[in-house]
Amino acid sequence: MAVKKYQNTKEISYYMCDRTHTLTLPMLVNLILEVSGEQSEELGLGEEVMQEKGYSWIILQYEFEIDRFPKNKETIEIETYATEYNKLFCYRDFVIRDLTGNELIMIHSTFALFDFTKRKMARIPEEIVVPYKATFNKRVKRTPKPVEIDEEKAYSKPFHVRYFDIDTNQHVNNSKYLDWTLNTLGGEFLSNHKLVYANVKFDKEVYEGQVIQSYVSITENKETSLSAHKIRTEGITNCSASFKWENRT
Amino acid sequence: MAVKKYQNTKEISYYMCDRTHTLTLPMLVNLILEVSGEQSEELGLGEEVMQEKGYSWIILQYEFEIDRFPKNKETIEIETYATEYNKLFCYRDFVIRDLTGNELIMIHSTFALFDFTKRKMARIPEEIVVPYKATFNKRVKRTPKPVEIDEEKAYSKPFHVRYFDIDTNQHVNNSKYLDWTLNTLGGEFLSNHKLVYANVKFDKEVYEGQVIQSYVSITENKETSLSAHKIRTEGITNCSASFKWENRT
């Protein structure tokens, strides 16, 4: 049974880009979720249908393998498909290509189903995954964990969770966690390093009005650097991430 | 000589919307500037051409008259045209319509030309405005000023200017000032009021790494409310705004 693939093109606008005229990682996350939403819509399992069933998808983890980020005004193709699922998790890949077919970014993600009347994760019913033609595999995937921060070297910055950080799902938008981690690195680091790999794990959601602390520790090597991140509120870890960077000369 | 109008349609995505599934004012600003950028591009006066000439456009003021904001997944038409210009200022309107032609939002804006080698506002050369077929009128328009804040009633919140607040123009993105003003009002106010008019005046730009204070004073009447705003850094006013709201019952 061949997996059901879905593609759409998106044009990169200036407001999705940073000072280097390049798509930002937080906006990339918005675009891929838009495209997976389109696939669900097409298969009759859009946001409203899921809501009627009492469910919403939550994202537990992302891994990004980055060759290059798209530029301002570039049109990209985003392809997505559910790869496999088990009782509790659903795995979905995204491939970002330029219009000549070159692969720019590969993304692996882990989703779970949230039952919002019971306020907890739900077993995934067949009817919700069958249309995507993903393979059932009872073994839970061992996805690599983000590298732990070095608590001794780590520094942190506070961020207020703002009204507009909450999206149409009534939760803090996924991309905001990436915004907080990256903004903690500051302009000088971000200008001198090129992101090649990212691993982001969502642990516990944050709420409007909270002040999060975004921790980071950086390990600089000759050609590459590694930044390890934690988003914490009152000692609890809400999100862990690690990024691998190539040093720009 | 008929003014040169330009239209394009845009689809509203979930990441442009707030919890009410409605386009946010900051994202509206991003979309209209995208469309005016498209017109400039079409007339051979795009960002890169302007840069070669040593200029960039800066926005001094916006006025928004709002019937309703577009909803998530709605497609809107954005029409824009330069209305008139004088030695120093260029006036541009934007009309937002739904696909049946109903006018949703009318926007009046004031632009000026910035000479970035001299680091100051420039006299507008004919060659830069003629293609837009705007009318020359030597009189400077008297645009209404935002209502002043009531210093005694005002309260404020701090916001850090973040790395990603800087856009492809190497300046803090226009929409961020609106983000700071609106986020200061908080979730309860924003959920209970419907924005019907906004007046935003940009005075002095803010820079990455600065901490801005976003001041607001609110006057509540029976059916409407008024919020007056200032963005300040170290006592200097960077942006003034006032919003008129209908109270939701």
Side-chain angles (χ1 to χ4, degrees):
Chain A
M1 189 172 69
V3 66
K4 200 118 187 164
K5 293 190 176 186
Y6 177 90
Q7 300 94 5
N8 200 0
T9 55
K10 299 283 166 191
E11 202 194 322
I12 308 305
S13 290
Y14 82 98
Y15 62 80
M16 305 174 182
C17 295
D18 62 19
R19 66 193 70 178
T20 68
H21 300 253
T22 308
L23 180 67
T24 67
L25 186 65
M27 272 306 309
L28 173 65
V29 166
N30 285 331
L31 292 177
I32 63 170
L33 290 185
E34 185 182 24
V35 171
S36 66
E38 288 167 11
Q39 183 184 33
S40 297
E41 209 69 66
E42 195 183 72
L43 298 176
L45 289 165
E47 209 184 303
E48 282 133 52
V49 175
M50 290 295 281
Q51 208 136 34
E52 279 165 31
K53 290 181 192 286
Y55 296 127
S56 64
W57 289 109
I58 51 172
I59 294 137
L60 301 180
Q61 192 171 10
Y62 287 120
E63 262 189 288
F64 302 84
E65 294 159 16
I66 303 146
D67 180 38
R68 75 165 176 89
F69 278 97
K71 303 294 279 180
N72 187 15
K73 293 178 190 162
E74 186 171 356
T75 299
I76 52 169
E77 185 200 69
I78 303 179
E79 180 174 82
T80 186
Y81 44 89
T83 55
E84 56 176 75
Y85 71 102
N86 51 49
K87 243 173 29 185
L88 286 174
F89 306 113
C90 208
Y91 305 96
R92 173 177 283 280
D93 283 355
F94 298 89
V95 191
I96 316 294
R97 295 191 184 91
D98 67 16
L99 286 188
T100 55
N102 297 312
E103 196 178 303
L104 308 185
I105 302 171
M106 178 78 207
I107 303 157
H108 308 290
S109 65
T110 309
F111 283 66
L113 205 57
F114 186 74
D115 180 324
F116 51 73
T117 46
K118 293 186 189 152
R119 307 291 310 156
K120 61 175 193 180
M121 266 170 64
R123 272 185 83 124
I124 299 174
E126 283 264 302
E127 62 182 284
I128 280 177
V129 278
V130 163
Y132 297 97
K133 299 198 176 157
T135 311
F136 178 80
N137 181 347
K138 72 175 179 190
R139 277 231 320 254
V140 170
K141 268 197 187 187
R142 286 181 185 271
T143 53
K145 289 200 175 91
V147 175
E148 280 298 316
I149 62 167
D150 179 338
E151 300 282 356
E152 296 209 343
K153 283 206 295 195
Y155 65 91
S156 76
K157 280 191 192 170
F159 292 90
H160 289 258
V161 184
R162 304 176 181 176
Y163 179 80
F164 286 130
D165 292 344
I166 314 290
D167 72 11
T168 55
N169 287 320
Q170 316 298 319
H171 298 281
V172 169
N173 184 285
N174 250 275
S175 70
K176 300 298 166 185
Y177 296 83
L178 290 169
D179 212 54
W180 298 323
T181 55
L182 289 170
N183 273 301
T184 307
L185 288 165
E188 210 194 314
F189 184 92
L190 291 169
S191 303
N192 294 324
H193 295 81
K194 180 185 172 287
L195 186 61
V196 291
Y197 172 80
N199 187 335
V200 184
K201 200 169 155 289
F202 299 97
D203 299 303
K204 207 174 175 322
E205 71 171 316
V206 301
Y207 299 98
E208 186 188 350
Q210 281 190 311
V211 181
I212 64 100
Q213 284 288 337
S214 172
Y215 288 83
V216 62
S217 66
I218 301 172
T219 312
E220 295 254 16
N221 296 312
K222 205 173 165 194
E223 283 169 6
T224 60
S225 298
L226 187 104
S227 63
H229 303 259
K230 295 264 184 216
I231 305 293
R232 287 182 178 140
T233 45
E234 293 150 25
I236 292 161
T237 296
N238 301 93
C239 175
S240 307
S242 62
F243 301 134
K244 197 180 156 190
W245 308 83
E246 271 173 18
N247 305 340
R248 291 188 208 271
T249 45
Chain B
M1 189 172 69
V3 66
K4 200 116 189 165
K5 294 190 175 187
Y6 176 90
Q7 299 95 7
N8 200 1
T9 55
K10 298 283 164 189
E11 203 193 322
I12 308 304
S13 291
Y14 83 97
Y15 62 79
M16 305 175 182
C17 295
D18 63 19
R19 66 193 70 179
T20 68
H21 300 253
T22 308
L23 181 67
T24 68
L25 187 64
M27 271 306 308
L28 173 65
V29 166
N30 285 331
L31 292 177
I32 63 171
L33 290 186
E34 185 181 22
V35 171
S36 65
E38 287 168 11
Q39 184 184 32
S40 297
E41 209 70 64
E42 195 183 70
L43 298 176
L45 289 166
E47 210 183 301
E48 283 133 53
V49 176
M50 291 295 281
Q51 209 136 31
E52 280 165 31
K53 291 181 190 287
Y55 296 127
S56 65
W57 288 108
I58 52 173
I59 294 137
L60 301 179
Q61 192 170 12
Y62 286 120
E63 261 189 288
F64 302 83
E65 294 160 18
I66 302 145
D67 180 39
R68 74 166 176 88
F69 278 97
K71 304 293 278 179
N72 186 15
K73 292 178 191 161
E74 188 171 356
T75 299
I76 53 169
E77 186 200 69
I78 304 179
E79 181 174 83
T80 187
Y81 44 89
T83 56
E84 57 176 76
Y85 71 101
N86 51 49
K87 242 173 28 187
L88 286 174
F89 306 113
C90 208
Y91 305 97
R92 174 178 283 279
D93 282 355
F94 298 89
V95 192
I96 316 294
R97 296 191 184 90
D98 66 17
L99 286 188
T100 57
N102 297 310
E103 196 178 303
L104 307 185
I105 303 170
M106 177 79 207
I107 303 156
H108 308 290
S109 65
T110 309
F111 282 67
L113 205 57
F114 186 74
D115 180 324
F116 51 73
T117 45
K118 294 187 188 152
R119 306 292 309 159
K120 61 176 194 178
M121 266 170 63
R123 273 184 83 124
I124 299 174
E126 283 265 304
E127 62 183 281
I128 280 176
V129 278
V130 163
Y132 297 97
K133 297 196 175 162
T135 311
F136 178 80
N137 181 346
K138 71 174 179 190
R139 277 232 319 255
V140 171
K141 267 197 187 187
R142 287 181 183 271
T143 53
K145 289 201 173 90
V147 176
E148 280 297 318
I149 63 166
D150 179 338
E151 300 281 356
E152 297 209 340
K153 283 206 296 193
Y155 64 91
S156 76
K157 279 189 193 172
F159 291 90
H160 290 258
V161 183
R162 303 175 182 176
Y163 178 80
F164 285 130
D165 293 343
I166 313 290
D167 72 12
T168 56
N169 287 319
Q170 315 301 318
H171 299 280
V172 169
N173 185 283
N174 250 276
S175 71
K176 299 298 166 186
Y177 296 82
L178 290 168
D179 211 56
W180 298 324
T181 55
L182 290 169
N183 273 302
T184 308
L185 288 164
E188 210 194 315
F189 184 93
L190 291 169
S191 303
N192 294 324
H193 295 82
K194 178 185 172 288
L195 186 62
V196 291
Y197 173 79
N199 188 334
V200 184
K201 201 169 154 290
F202 299 98
D203 298 303
K204 207 174 174 327
E205 71 171 315
V206 300
Y207 300 98
E208 187 189 350
Q210 281 191 309
V211 181
I212 65 100
Q213 283 288 336
S214 171
Y215 288 84
V216 61
S217 66
I218 300 171
T219 311
E220 295 254 16
N221 296 312
K222 207 174 165 194
E223 282 168 6
T224 60
S225 298
L226 187 104
S227 62
H229 303 260
K230 293 264 186 220
I231 303 293
R232 287 183 179 139
T233 43
E234 293 151 25
I236 293 161
T237 295
N238 301 93
C239 174
S240 307
S242 63
F243 301 134
K244 197 179 155 191
W245 308 82
E246 271 172 19
N247 305 339
R248 293 188 206 269
T249 46

